[in-house]
Amino acid sequence: MLNDRKQNYEKEKMTNSTNSENSNAEKTEERMDVRQKHCLAYVLHTSGTTGIPKIVRVPHACIVPNIQHFRVLFEITQEDVLFLASPLTFDPSVVEIFVALSSGACLLIVPTSVKMLPSKLAAVLFSHHRVTILQATPTLLRRFGSQLIKSTVLSASTSLRVLALGGEAFPSLTVLKSWRGVDNKTQIFNVYGITEVSSWATFHRIPEKFLNSTLKCELPVPLGFPLLGTVVEVRDTDGFTIQEGHGQVFLGGRNRVCFLDDEMTVPLGTMRATGDLVMVKDGEMFFLGRKDSQIKRHGKRLNIELVQQVAEGLQQVESCAVTWYNQEKLILFLVSKNDLVKEYIFKELQKHLPSHAIPDELVLIDSLPFTSHGKIDVSELNKIYLNLKPECKLNGKEELWEKLQYLWKSILNLSEDPLKVSDESLFLNSGGDSLKSIRLLNEIEKLVGTSVPGLLEIILSSSILEIYNHVLQTVFPDEDLVFSKNCATKRKFSDIYQEETSGKSLHQKSVMTLNYNNELTAFTTVSRGSQILSLNSKFLTKLGLCSSAQSSDLISQTNIQNMKSLNPPALIGKSKDPSCTAKVSEEGTYGTAAKKMELHVRWRSDTGKCVDASPLVVIPAVDESSATVYIGSHSHRMMALDLYSGKVKWEQILEDRIESSACVSKCGNFIVVGCYNGLVYVLKSNSGEKYWMFSTEDAVKSSATMDPTTGLLYIGSHDQHSYALDIYKKKCVWKLQCGGTVFSSPCLSLIPHHLYVATLGGLLLAINPATGNRVWKHSCGKPLFSSPRCCLQYVCIGCVDGNLLCFTHSGEQVWQFSTSEPIFSSPCTSASEQEIFFGSHDCFIYCCNMKGHLQWKFETTSQVYATPFAFHYQEGGDEMLLAAASTDGKLWILESKSGRLQSVYELPGEVFSSPVVWESMLIIGCRNNYVYCLDLLGGYQI
């Protein structure tokens, strides 16, 4: 262990560059040796509250500059009285002792029993002994309480000349000003340092103008300037010193060096990593928090010290602390000034904090526990939380209704609206989305203390009153339900659109010739998740595609084994007939690209509103230059765009928002897309003209899947059904109640001939595509937003509980791989089916092998909602790459074998659409209303 530590510390060292010709003798002169006589001043252990406990041996040369500088900085004289606030095991005590003794000042040492009583300690320090210099942790000061601080410690008549706060994050200026009495003249300093470079490294005096200002000040307090002999550097993640931006603090100086653990010699000028993160702006450093205080919550980075700082700034809060309990719950502990209503605190926090920073629970305590060093005792706080008795959070159905309204408004950011939520309010229509629905589900289940089966579907499809009734049945089963005439029954879209869907034009004879000898064009389709399917006229004719007359002439299932595409869901064996489909590209051997790839916008097209759907690219075999991108948007527009130029070929305005991605019919003459109004639209691919509309009973966000053996299209709906549609006969072949909302897209396997459907009720279903009968089902326990993905052996799916699940085609679970946040991203397989790629809300892109073992993971800058796309590039040697998108608008190009970054490009908006790659072009939708096509530059070919 000591050797490992030594290696780690060697990595942290920063020495001046030396030429290889430097002699060993010269290097020895530049090192400090612990064995030198009179080298060490003292030895201590770090407490471990901000990192791994270490033995620190401190030379005289390291600590003396601190003592010298503080004497001058605080203008210490023989008249001063310094309080020994720190225990002897905490190195600031050395500074306190020797600043006093070397100046002829008085050092006040108080028994521990007195230190434990804030009011008695205040009297001893400021009434009996008139302390003038106080160096303490913020936690120690907070123990006095704001009233005692204002009336005694920082009053107008206080004896205290200098207050130096360090060892923890400095209080906000707002809190600091609330502590000061009128006309107080105490100089207040922010001091910062680490024991490994004992003791202090920087100082900042708070200007009087900020302390005396009546304006509310949200400015952070800088760490300030280096103390005597100290060197301060801020380095980025690559180890380079930065002058602006975010980085980690490194401390040192020629003689500001200590020996850690078993180190015997240390190079002079060694720089130690502090583990503290700062922002450098305009030449000043602002503390952001410790690396180990940064957590991933709801897929976003959060420093828990920010939550504490905001909570402490609230008027009714005396003091507080935040813990990340068991790395799963954010707990806020509060000492209140008076009777406190938790709901008030939560409401106030929501005004100042992002949603991912709102604590899970709020615990009221009488006082904060602290360590012997005067810091907050986190382990003791966790014990307090562990010993809490579970409280009954609901006293009856009236309180349930009130709290449901409160949760509804807070999650939808409607807290300022004084009006009650209307009984008929629908979550999605009120600004909700799939992410917020998960949060509301969790909050309700936390409120009632139990899981509520089927609740997510109710949230997504029903009114708040129906949600209330559903919860009521679970929590208070004997209570009468509350009904409203307007929302007692579920919306039925088929009634609303009946007249439109039965119009004359929908029953006109198809313009498509049924005798299609030369009229059917061969084509290739490319869609999200590396799904590439190639069909040609020989194959289409052989299968009797589109012809009702020939539907009985379909070849047997065993003969379809010769159909192999780049679409993993339809991957079924080796191709015997090359005319059937394009052959799968084999995985290339790993090699580093000759030069780094760049992405440049080729074209962009304005759709009018957000584009969450993913593109479908259709490339005719006869004329590849006429390839088309089909995509819909929130503006109700379905658009056909030229792949190479972005020119609009046609657009069709539908009756509601489009999030469903388009699917092409087997003959290539039609595009099929779902809509929020509950309709499935069949549009002519060459003109956008409406050919047929099929009505479900709720929104259709699911994307259709086409069966190349029958031409049937399968799609799911929020009405909890899956449908098989024959678009040529304009009829529904079968529909199946799936036991939950079908949000994601069905996935088709040809051998075995299964259709896989996932629900927000947590069910994964295997269905016989011909009959609609259920083959098997598996309950995953949590909602499934991810679409299933199948290959020759397995079917995989991501779950909201953070697990990627893998099943055989007979329904047996083979393995699961866990991430730390929900998985909304659908899996994507490599062409060889040896790897599976997916994203998670924990901001990582993952690659696992088909045994469920992690091959690599790559950290992005935001949640990964979209499905990755694996594609084949070739420059000299073969290379498999992976395109992925994070919700903050960044596009990531990675090497699929290693996860190494090839390129990154940032779009000017959020991205929930999934990328599609064809040739050297990447197409994707963005929430800034545009569809983008980017050229992948770097001499590559697909």
Side-chain angles (χ1 to χ4, degrees):
M1 289 175 65
L2 290 177
N3 286 338
D4 289 344
R5 282 184 184 175
K6 188 168 184 179
Q7 289 174 8
N8 288 336
Y9 288 126
E10 287 295 329
K11 291 178 184 176
E12 294 175 0
K13 294 174 185 176
M14 178 69 181
T15 59
N16 293 328
S17 300
T18 55
N19 295 326
S20 57
E21 303 90 50
N22 284 354
S23 65
N24 290 331
E26 188 177 358
K27 289 181 182 176
T28 305
E29 292 173 7
E30 293 297 308
R31 301 179 75 87
M32 186 177 289
D33 193 325
V34 73
R35 293 161 293 194
Q36 289 178 343
K37 193 173 182 180
H38 306 307
C39 175
L40 295 184
Y42 55 92
V43 180
L44 48 76
H45 288 77
T46 62
S47 64
T49 55
T50 57
I52 300 170
K54 307 177 186 75
I55 299 170
V56 182
R57 290 172 288 177
V58 184
H60 289 276
C62 182
I63 190 62
V64 166
N66 261 201
I67 297 165
Q68 293 171 328
H69 199 156
F70 271 41
R71 281 174 54 189
V72 176
L73 185 64
F74 298 156
E75 299 176 321
I76 307 295
T77 71
Q78 295 180 12
E79 307 301 318
D80 281 307
V81 178
L82 283 80
F83 169 47
L84 183 61
S86 307
L88 296 179
T89 53
F90 193 27
D91 57 332
S93 63
V94 177
V95 178
E96 293 165 356
I97 292 169
F98 288 97
V99 163
L101 298 185
S102 63
S103 307
C106 176
L107 182 69
L108 178 63
I109 304 174
V110 175
T112 305
S113 58
V114 175
K115 283 185 180 181
M116 299 301 291
L117 302 170
S119 58
K120 191 171 183 180
L121 179 62
V124 168
L125 297 185
F126 304 108
S127 296
H128 302 160
H129 294 281
R130 306 290 291 171
V131 165
T132 60
I133 310 293
L134 174 60
Q135 175 189 272
T137 61
T139 294
L140 189 63
L141 182 65
R142 287 185 184 102
R143 286 186 59 80
F144 288 116
S146 57
Q147 289 184 340
L148 198 55
I149 295 174
K150 195 167 188 174
S151 64
T152 306
V153 183
L154 295 177
S155 66
S157 59
T158 183
S159 59
L160 193 64
R161 274 199 316 108
V162 172
L163 172 63
L165 296 176
E168 293 175 311
F170 195 79
S172 68
L173 282 175
T174 302
V175 171
L176 203 58
K177 288 194 291 185
S178 72
W179 287 346
R180 291 182 85 230
V182 179
D183 296 329
N184 172 258
K185 301 300 181 185
T186 304
Q187 299 176 43
I188 302 177
F189 290 84
N190 178 17
V191 291
Y192 164 77
I194 58 171
T195 302
E196 291 88 333
V197 185
S198 189
S199 164
W200 300 113
T202 67
F203 73 96
H204 173 77
R205 180 179 172 182
I206 313 301
E208 283 291 322
K209 64 178 181 179
F210 288 132
L211 294 173
N212 294 329
S213 171
T214 55
L215 298 174
K216 187 174 183 180
C217 185
E218 300 295 344
L219 291 173
V221 177
L223 292 185
F225 302 101
L227 287 162
L228 183 65
T230 307
V231 176
V232 181
E233 290 181 0
V234 180
R235 300 181 189 173
D236 62 18
T237 52
D238 296 320
F240 295 107
T241 303
I242 60 172
Q243 304 300 323
E244 289 280 326
H246 294 68
Q248 182 182 181
V249 178
F250 281 71
L251 298 178
R254 180 175 175 81
N255 292 307
R256 301 287 331 271
V257 179
C258 298
F259 301 92
L260 305 185
D261 293 327
D262 63 336
E263 290 178 338
M264 300 303 289
T265 63
V266 179
L268 296 180
T270 291
M271 301 293 287
R272 302 288 190 186
T274 63
D276 293 320
L277 303 178
V278 296
M279 174 182 69
V280 184
K281 187 176 181 181
D282 299 330
E284 292 190 300
M285 293 184 300
F286 299 95
F287 182 70
L288 297 176
R290 288 198 51 77
K291 284 177 69 176
D292 45 26
S293 291
Q294 281 209 333
I295 63 172
K296 279 283 189 71
R297 188 164 182 257
H298 303 325
K300 296 186 177 180
R301 289 191 178 279
L302 171 66
N303 201 299
I304 60 177
E305 285 158 353
L306 168 69
V307 183
Q308 179 175 329
Q309 194 171 48
V310 170
E312 191 179 56
L314 301 181
Q315 193 171 4
Q316 295 190 29
V317 175
E318 182 72 63
S319 56
C320 65
V322 180
T323 66
W324 183 227
Y325 183 77
N326 281 351
Q327 294 190 328
E328 61 181 25
K329 280 189 174 183
L330 194 64
I331 312 298
L332 173 60
F333 295 86
L334 286 182
V335 178
S336 64
K337 295 178 182 176
N338 43 43
D339 292 336
L340 196 65
V341 180
K342 290 185 179 181
E343 284 72 16
Y344 165 81
I345 293 296
F346 277 119
K347 186 176 179 181
E348 290 298 306
L349 289 175
Q350 284 170 340
K351 293 179 182 178
H352 305 285
L353 289 171
S355 58
H356 68 278
I358 303 299
D360 292 301
E361 292 192 41
L362 192 155
V363 178
L364 297 177
I365 54 179
D366 295 328
S367 62
L368 289 174
F370 67 107
T371 66
S372 60
H373 290 183
K375 299 183 180 182
I376 292 171
D377 193 333
V378 174
S379 62
E380 190 61 34
L381 287 174
N382 287 334
K383 287 180 186 176
I384 292 172
Y385 178 73
L386 185 64
N387 294 329
L388 284 177
K389 293 181 179 178
E391 55 180 326
C392 179
K393 297 183 180 180
L394 289 173
N395 296 320
K397 64 179 184 179
E398 293 80 11
E399 189 177 359
L400 171 62
W401 177 245
E402 289 175 7
K403 292 200 172 184
L404 180 58
Q405 292 236 345
Y406 167 76
L407 290 174
W408 184 280
K409 292 169 78 172
S410 63
I411 288 171
L412 295 175
N413 296 320
L414 304 173
S415 302
E416 298 300 318
D417 190 347
L419 299 176
K420 282 192 173 183
V421 180
S422 166
D423 292 357
E424 292 81 16
S425 293
L426 298 167
F427 191 73
L428 293 177
N429 290 359
S430 303
D433 54 32
S434 52
L435 299 178
K436 290 177 180 175
S437 68
I438 291 292
R439 188 176 158 208
L440 181 60
L441 169 70
N442 292 335
E443 291 293 338
I444 292 174
E445 290 188 339
K446 187 169 68 179
L447 176 69
V448 300
T450 184
S451 61
V452 184
L455 179 57
L456 187 62
E457 293 95 320
I458 301 295
I459 291 172
L460 288 170
S461 63
S462 305
S463 68
I464 186 172
L465 184 60
E466 290 173 292
I467 296 170
Y468 167 71
N469 282 329
H470 187 80
V471 177
L472 197 64
Q473 285 181 294
T474 302
V475 185
F476 303 109
D478 298 329
E479 294 281 359
D480 294 330
L481 300 184
V482 180
F483 291 102
S484 165
K485 290 181 181 178
N486 295 329
C487 64
T489 58
K490 203 168 186 178
R491 295 172 293 162
K492 191 169 183 181
F493 287 102
S494 55
D495 296 337
I496 301 171
Y497 290 96
Q498 188 174 12
E499 184 177 341
E500 183 181 358
T501 56
S502 59
K504 273 188 177 181
S505 62
L506 299 182
H507 293 286
Q508 291 175 354
K509 189 175 181 181
S510 171
V511 295
M512 183 182 62
T513 303
L514 293 180
N515 182 14
Y516 27 172
N517 298 322
N518 297 316
E519 305 222 7
L520 286 172
T521 54
F523 62 90
T524 298
T525 68
V526 189
S527 56
R528 64 178 182 170
S530 312
Q531 298 184 86
I532 304 177
L533 176 64
S534 293
L535 297 171
N536 64 27
S537 55
K538 180 178 178 182
F539 177 68
L540 297 175
T541 307
K542 185 176 180 180
L543 289 184
L545 183 71
C546 313
S547 171
S548 57
Q550 295 179 343
S551 59
S552 60
D553 299 328
L554 293 178
I555 61 174
S556 66
Q557 188 65 41
T558 54
N559 290 333
I560 300 173
Q561 292 185 29
N562 64 0
M563 178 190 164
K564 181 176 181 179
S565 73
L566 289 180
N567 180 357
L571 201 55
I572 54 172
K574 293 182 179 179
S575 174
K576 297 177 182 177
D577 183 353
S579 66
C580 291
T581 67
K583 190 175 182 181
V584 178
S585 300
E586 295 299 323
E587 188 85 69
T589 56
Y590 172 70
T592 305
K595 76 173 183 178
K596 202 162 186 176
M597 181 182 291
E598 293 182 359
L599 283 78
H600 294 284
V601 174
R602 182 187 188 95
W603 55 258
R604 63 176 192 161
S605 183
D606 189 357
T607 70
K609 279 195 177 178
C610 299
V611 186
D612 284 347
S614 300
L616 167 72
V617 180
V618 179
I619 307 102
V622 180
D623 180 15
E624 291 193 5
S625 65
S626 65
T628 305
V629 176
Y630 297 96
I631 196 164
S633 95
H634 288 197
S635 66
H636 307 185
R637 293 179 188 169
M638 187 66 205
M639 302 180 74
L641 307 167
D642 184 271
L643 172 61
Y644 294 95
S645 68
K647 181 181 177 182
V648 178
K649 294 186 175 183
W650 57 256
E651 70 175 41
Q652 175 66 264
I653 308 296
L654 305 186
E655 283 70 22
D656 210 333
R657 193 158 80 175
I658 306 168
E659 285 188 11
S660 168
S661 300
C663 173
V664 70
S665 65
K666 188 173 180 180
C667 58
N669 292 331
F670 301 104
I671 295 298
V672 181
V673 68
C675 185
Y676 257 58
N677 63 356
L679 295 181
V680 179
Y681 289 85
V682 181
L683 309 175
K684 293 181 181 178
S685 58
N686 63 348
S687 66
E689 181 185 342
K690 294 176 185 175
Y691 171 73
W692 181 47
M693 289 176 284
F694 174 77
S695 179
T696 74
E697 296 188 10
D698 210 332
V700 180
K701 300 184 186 180
S702 172
S703 303
T705 297
M706 184 266 292
D707 189 336
T709 64
T710 64
L712 292 180
L713 286 122
Y714 309 102
I715 198 165
S717 169
H718 270 49
D719 67 6
Q720 303 194 6
H721 288 85
S722 287
Y723 297 86
L725 305 179
D726 185 333
I727 64 172
Y728 307 109
K729 293 183 178 179
K730 296 182 180 178
K731 72 173 188 177
C732 176
V733 177
W734 56 255
K735 80 172 186 176
L736 177 69
Q737 166 59 248
C738 295
T741 295
V742 183
F743 172 90
S744 61
S745 304
C747 170
L748 184 71
S749 165
L750 291 182
I751 291 184
H753 200 204
H754 284 173
L755 181 72
Y756 295 103
V757 174
T759 77
L760 298 189
L763 292 178
L764 176 63
L765 306 173
I767 301 167
N768 183 327
T771 64
N773 294 329
R774 193 172 66 204
V775 180
W776 57 261
K777 72 173 182 179
H778 178 90
S779 176
C780 299
K782 288 288 184 180
L784 300 172
F785 281 90
S786 168
S787 298
R789 187 66 187 266
C790 56
C791 55
L792 192 59
Q793 287 184 291
Y794 303 120
V795 57
C796 297
I797 193 166
C799 184
V800 163
D801 64 7
N803 288 314
L804 182 77
L805 307 169
C806 179
F807 301 88
T808 65
H809 287 292
S810 59
E812 179 186 353
Q813 185 172 331
V814 184
W815 52 261
Q816 72 177 39
F817 177 85
S818 297
T819 72
S820 59
E821 292 286 346
I823 300 174
F824 280 62
S825 168
S826 302
C828 155
T829 57
S830 62
S832 65
E833 293 191 0
Q834 298 304 305
E835 294 89 22
I836 188 161
F837 310 100
F838 63 97
S840 169
H841 275 39
D842 64 7
C843 303
F844 281 92
I845 299 163
Y846 291 88
C847 173
C848 293
N849 64 19
M850 281 304 176
K851 293 182 179 180
H853 299 147
L854 180 67
Q855 301 302 290
W856 54 259
K857 65 178 183 176
F858 176 85
E859 185 172 16
T860 71
T861 50
S862 187
Q863 299 169 337
V864 181
Y865 185 99
T867 300
F869 192 103
F871 58 102
H872 194 188
Y873 259 33
Q874 187 175 1
E875 185 189 345
D878 289 342
E879 186 71 78
M880 289 301 297
L881 300 179
L882 187 76
S886 50
T887 55
D888 59 359
K890 289 193 178 73
L891 306 178
W892 308 87
I893 306 297
L894 310 175
E895 293 177 3
S896 68
K897 281 290 187 184
S898 65
R900 191 157 55 222
L901 180 65
Q902 277 282 344
S903 186
V904 61
Y905 184 91
E906 185 168 6
L907 293 174
E910 289 186 312
V911 170
F912 286 78
S913 172
S914 297
V916 165
V917 178
W918 180 252
E919 294 180 342
S920 59
M921 293 169 285
L922 183 151
I923 309 96
I924 194 166
C926 183
R927 283 198 163 178
N928 72 337
N929 307 348
Y930 283 84
V931 182
Y932 284 85
C933 178
L934 298 102
D935 284 320
L936 309 177
L937 304 178
Y940 298 102
Q941 291 294 325
I942 193 167

